[in-house]
Amino acid sequence: MNNILQLKGRFDQRPNSSRPGSPKLPKGKNVKSSHLKALAEQLQNILSYWQKNTDIKGALVSVHYKHVVAKSNRIQAILAEGGKSPAESIRGAKFVWEKDRDGRTIQKHVFTHFVKLETLKKSIELLEKAAMVLETQYRGNLTSEECAKIANKKEIFHDEIMSKSAFLKIIVDGNYVERFDIDRADEEITQDSIITIYQTGVETKELLEKFGIHIVDDRIINKTTLRLTPDEAKLLYNHASYLVAMSLTDFAEISRDDISDEVKEWDDDTRLIPKPSIEPVIGVIDTQFNENVYFKDWVDYTNMLDENIPLSKEDYKHGTAVSYIIVDGPQGNPDLDDGCGRFRVRHFGVATHNGFSSFAVLRLIRDIVAKNRDIKVWNLSLGSKLEIKPNFISPEAAELDRIQSEYDVIFVVAGTNVPKGVDGKNMKIGSPADSLNSLVVNSVDFKGKSASYTRSGPVLSFFHKPDLSYYGGDGNRMNEKIAVCCDDMGAAYVSGTSFAAPWVSRKLAYLIHIMGLSRELAKALLIDSAAKWDRKDDISHRVGYGILPKHIRDIIHSPDDEIRFLMMGASEEYETYTYNLPVPVVNNAHPFYAKATLVYFPQCNRNQGVDYTSTEMDIHFGRIVIDKKNKTTIKSIDNNKQSEEGLITLYEEDARRMYRKWDNVKHISEKIKDRAVPRKAYDSGSWGLSIKTKERTTAKTKEPLQFGVVVTLKEMNGVNRIDDFVKMCMARGWLVNKLDVQNQIDVYMKAEEEITFE
């Protein structure tokens, strides 16, 4: 087998040199004055409402688009305040599904803005003026051809009531906007709830007091997310349902895993375990830990619950079983021996087996991570029995994403289970498995089939979740389940996504601590290893990118006919790129199939609803082509045409479907065919990698955003060409590091040694 290579070298950076031209209508589209008048009338009604209702010192306006729209196709003139973009006033985003005239269901974007009343008046005026121009100069209807003539200065636009720029922006806005409205939440609240309200011109506590709701700071997170009793929630819904962006029940009943009552006594040899030394530490956030088990010395346990909360025997089983797998799982499950050794655990008990307050756990997790900065991998096998919502991320998942964006850590999260007695065929995963930055794990049985209890994604109707699957047991017999230690009685047999996740945590911690990889590269390598060459999109969203190999050697090595290399970089400008990747050439062709996996940890904003991730990284990987004008481009292996000049812009739905636009994991791969045809080698003989970075907001993220890329080249004729590749890389100035396991272990042990100064 070949070692994995790590290439270190310089990525070039360049800003986006393209500038948007004059606004134009898409080909074949037209805008009528009657539509602009209708939009103006809708805004007038909204203005009248907010002139009478002054509680929020402004206006909430929902913009309903005709379909899912790209950032560039959202309103530019309507609701613009001063010189600011309307995007800056967005307070929330969601999807709705509505039928068109032909009865087809169309997915549509809805954005909620918070603006001043003066902004509404100005927008109404602009719409009315544009409608007047249409009627006086264009017979009440402007076509895309006529719009292009105005934009390209082929037709003189002269009107005293508005400028050409304002007119074209209003026309294009009118083409994409279906209507304006004040959207209101409509839910029956019967339990304590976590409710997120739109950010307005009034501080949250002051605003709630206007409706008779008095809460303390301890019940507010991130200024707009709060915990309300049923009576308080009813007051809010009765007086200001327009304020509610999202809500869900606070008490999360735990998604139950199957822990059998059947116990088998441990062999004496199985219970033998050495004292812990300098092994890596994995953090576990779960139910409580039983300190009577044989591996107790390997676990540093803290009960985070109030000491007055009574605990029963059942409250210890789940958490103890999870920590057992991390510490000594291969001992009781030799068929799942992963070659990773043992790990120490720092275990935090935040729940009982009956369930937990989501709000309380939200506050605990950040505090736990902040005080344990040496831990890089956290295992979270708690999950809600309830399904995720289609239009927003759960508060727990949002907090995990925020923590992972701010701290250099990664969470491994169980994909949650179907409750017993429930038909789970189409049941969505439960929180916090909707965390996008986390590595979410579903379960398969020992034959590699999706387990009967697994639930499905996607998240926000788009994001791939789970990320991958692993063996979590399924069936009624002992040999079909995972053996764990829950107490000092013997081996119990369990199944569930909770017991698939810790096996993945072990591998992730091995890659980060022992192999020295960043969390971006470690996550990318696991996903790339799960996504086999014959992978097809998991339309059920139950397995993810694939099933992770059992043994770590199959992750940190590649077959003799494959060259796998890792690259780490940071996006500082619009494009981060290199055109300097040598791929061996045989008879003027590259005899390789290629695949690549990109991972990054973007900032996320739950208040933006379905537009949750703030950063898009668009990957282009393939052969370098230099045209007659000496222009260099990358012929990407997935034929990615996004951001290329001179091409028609893709519809947002197509960009998301074809190229996973806005997803923080990108996996692109060529298909292996029966008849292998080597790729033509162009003049340079080089391949290139380009990462184009876009932001949802107008202001770019200040800090450079790290990314990790895993590339695999498979030789079509089974020839091992890794030595040729290494020599060519070194000749091109790349520093090539072979990830040798023994060397990395030696480095880790040396780094962990305690030095005593005399």
Side-chain angles (χ1 to χ4, degrees), residues 2-3 5 560 562-563 584 719-730 736 738:
N2 288 331
N3 286 331
L5 308 175
D560 289 342
E562 289 185 5
I563 301 168
V719 180
N720 190 343
R721 301 189 187 276
I722 192 168
D723 290 336
D724 294 339
F725 178 75
V726 171
K727 291 174 184 177
M728 293 167 67
C729 285
M730 294 175 69
V736 182
K738 292 185 179 181

Side-chain angles (χ1 to χ4, degrees), residues 510-524:
Y510 190 92
L511 293 178
I512 291 174
H513 292 284
I514 304 298
M515 300 308 294
L517 300 183
S518 68
R519 59 176 183 166
E520 290 84 2
L521 284 176
K523 180 179 177 181

